[in-house]
Amino acid sequence: MKKFFLAALAMSVTFALTGCKGTNEKRGDEHLQEGRFRNAINSYLEAKKKGSMSDEFYDNFTLALVRAAEIEAKKDLNSDLINGYFEKASVNMAEVKKDEVVEEYVTKLATVGKQQAAQEGIDYATVINAFAKIDTALATAQARHIAEGSVKAIRTEAENAYVARNLSDAKAESDPVVCEYQLMKLAEMAPENADVKAALNKSRVGTRGYFLIFGEQIGEPVNRRIDKWGYVMAFPTIKIAPGSLSGELQFWASTGNNTELDPSKIKLVSTDGQEVFAKGNSGWCEAEVLVGKKGDEKIEKKKQSFKGKGKLMNEFQCSVNVSFSYGKGFVPDYVEYKDEFGIGRKYLGQ
């Protein structure tokens, strides 16, 4: 009798630890085994709703979601269902126990992302979403230490294909501002690609004197991942010598605010992250002034000189004569200006 009691106790403990498969979960497992993945998903959702789940639940539920997404991608690579399936699978990952399930999730998520990015004629939002899938897969692979190398290889393949398809057209743009925008789009997806880096560096040297204001020139909706600087800057004159950089730095503001221009906040950042702040606090800012005889006045935009701090008006310009000094090995990368209303960067190229 004592042995029977101990055996029963052991069984009850095992039952408590492993959980019990209810009718809906069992039905979901059958659908999963037979390849009826959407039916499996519905059954697993019912099981979750009722709270009757075993320790295997999240592994099998995730497999059903991932495999349903894979089949949907074969039918329609841009189906909204794909995102829905992978999003639910992503939520499950914290509860997934089996390494092989994690591996299937990350490799199939990354593969679908690569396939979506490889499509001809897709808009940039679709490209961003496609690479976001790969990056989500990579983050999970790194966190779980599973299939990291495989996902990295998929991302490299996706980057190389995307660059190969678009780099020539970007470099062929006759307008330097449009050219730089297209190269920046490529750099967002493939930041370490050597060909993109070389093309973008060359472009930035040529556009040092340009305001990169894209809205009126690129002929497509401006993406905020690219056009993200509230203060847009240009160097109409610039001199770079060993240990120093100087020139006229102009500002154009699109922050929606009127604010002070404080030259002490202008800094030069090197390619390895070193910083030096500007010397110089004189220049001019545009302002609207009332001109003309009384009764016949009109408003004109005029330059007003300043020393110390200027007044930077929204969609108006300012100019500051700046100079920077730095040590050996400092390679200038970009000038940055930041205040409570916004941030601006002017990349210089090498």
Side-chain angles (χ1 to χ4, degrees):
M1 178 67 69
K2 186 175 181 181
K3 289 183 179 180
F4 177 80
F5 173 77
L6 291 174
L9 179 61
M11 288 179 64
S12 67
V13 170
T14 302
F15 178 84
L17 290 173
T18 60
C20 177
K21 288 192 178 184
T23 302
N24 287 305
E25 185 177 352
K26 289 178 181 177
R27 189 177 294 121
D29 290 348
E30 291 173 5
H31 288 312
L32 175 63
Q33 186 69 28
E34 297 299 322
R36 298 185 295 269
F37 303 122
R38 293 183 70 169
N39 290 339
I41 291 167
N42 290 333
S43 294
Y44 289 135
L45 287 172
E46 283 298 315
K48 188 175 182 181
K49 188 186 299 182
K50 293 182 178 180
S52 177
M53 300 173 291
S54 74
D55 286 354
E56 295 180 336
F57 174 81
Y58 284 103
D59 291 82
N60 291 335
F61 185 20
T62 299
L63 287 176
L65 289 163
V66 169
R67 292 171 185 177
E70 183 182 36
I71 288 176
E72 188 67 22
K74 290 176 181 177
K75 294 189 294 184
D76 178 5
L77 203 48
N78 297 306
S79 168
D80 290 337
L81 288 173
I82 297 170
N83 287 341
Y85 289 142
F86 278 127
E87 284 169 5
K88 284 186 175 66
S90 177
V91 171
N92 288 350
M93 290 313 297
E95 306 295 335
V96 169
K97 295 178 172 57
K98 295 179 181 177
D99 289 354
E100 57 266 32
V101 176
V102 177
E103 182 171 1
E104 185 166 341
Y105 163 74
V106 297
T107 54
K108 288 184 176 177
L109 176 60
T111 298
V112 170
K114 182 181 78 170
Q115 292 168 344
Q116 289 179 332
Q119 297 176 100
E120 293 288 343
I122 55 173
D123 61 25
Y124 196 55
T126 302
V127 174
I128 291 171
N129 184 271
F131 275 94
K133 286 183 174 67
I134 304 174
D135 290 338
T136 297
L138 183 56
T140 303
Q142 290 171 333
R144 299 289 291 262
H145 305 292
I146 297 168
E148 184 177 346
S150 299
V151 179
K152 282 183 176 178
I154 292 170
R155 198 188 202 290
T156 299
E157 291 168 7
E159 287 180 13
N160 291 344
Y162 180 62
V163 171
R165 193 170 63 251
N166 294 287
L167 182 57
S168 294
D169 287 344
K171 290 165 66 175
E173 289 282 358
S174 58
D175 186 313
V177 174
V178 177
C179 175
E180 188 145 329
Y181 181 83
Q182 299 300 338
L183 291 172
M184 289 166 70
K185 284 170 61 177
L186 292 175
E188 278 290 301
M189 299 300 106
E192 299 305 318
N193 183 279
D195 293 333
V196 173
K197 281 185 172 181
L200 194 51
N201 264 322
K202 182 178 179 181
S203 173
R204 285 170 168 167
V205 170
T207 60
R208 287 172 178 173
Y210 287 76
F211 285 125
L212 296 177
I213 302 172
F214 302 118
E216 297 178 0
Q217 293 167 278
I218 63 171
E220 62 184 74
V222 177
N223 190 279
R224 293 306 302 167
R225 286 180 62 142
I226 312 301
D227 190 21
K228 56 192 172 185
W229 308 117
Y231 296 116
V232 185
M233 291 178 279
F235 271 104
T237 62
I238 185 171
K239 181 181 179 181
I240 302 177
S244 68
L245 184 153
S246 61
E248 180 191 4
L249 179 62
Q250 291 187 353
F251 288 77
W252 184 86
S254 61
T255 63
N257 295 285
N258 299 327
T259 184
E260 280 186 334
L261 173 61
D262 184 351
S264 69
K265 295 179 179 179
I266 302 170
K267 67 180 178 182
L268 178 66
V269 182
S270 71
T271 53
D272 62 358
Q274 298 177 65
E275 300 177 356
V276 292
F277 283 85
K279 299 174 184 176
N281 65 350
S282 64
W284 54 261
C285 284
E286 291 180 330
E288 288 183 337
V289 296
L290 197 62
V291 299
K293 296 180 180 179
K294 188 175 181 180
D296 193 28
E297 301 95 339
K298 60 181 180 179
I299 295 176
E300 288 185 357
K301 185 184 290 187
K302 288 195 171 185
K303 296 177 181 178
Q304 296 184 336
S305 298
F306 74 85
K307 189 167 185 179
K309 295 179 181 179
K311 185 70 172 177
L312 185 53
M313 311 288 282
N314 186 49
E315 299 192 6
F316 280 50
Q317 291 183 30
C318 283
S319 173
V320 187
N321 296 311
V322 294
S323 65
F324 303 90
S325 299
Y326 41 81
K328 186 178 180 181
F330 187 106
V331 180
D333 189 14
Y334 61 88
V335 171
E336 181 177 287
Y337 182 79
K338 183 178 181 181
D339 64 13
E340 66 270 31
F341 296 117
I343 182 173
R345 284 186 182 179
K346 181 63 179 178
Y347 284 88
L348 305 171
Q350 280 82 52

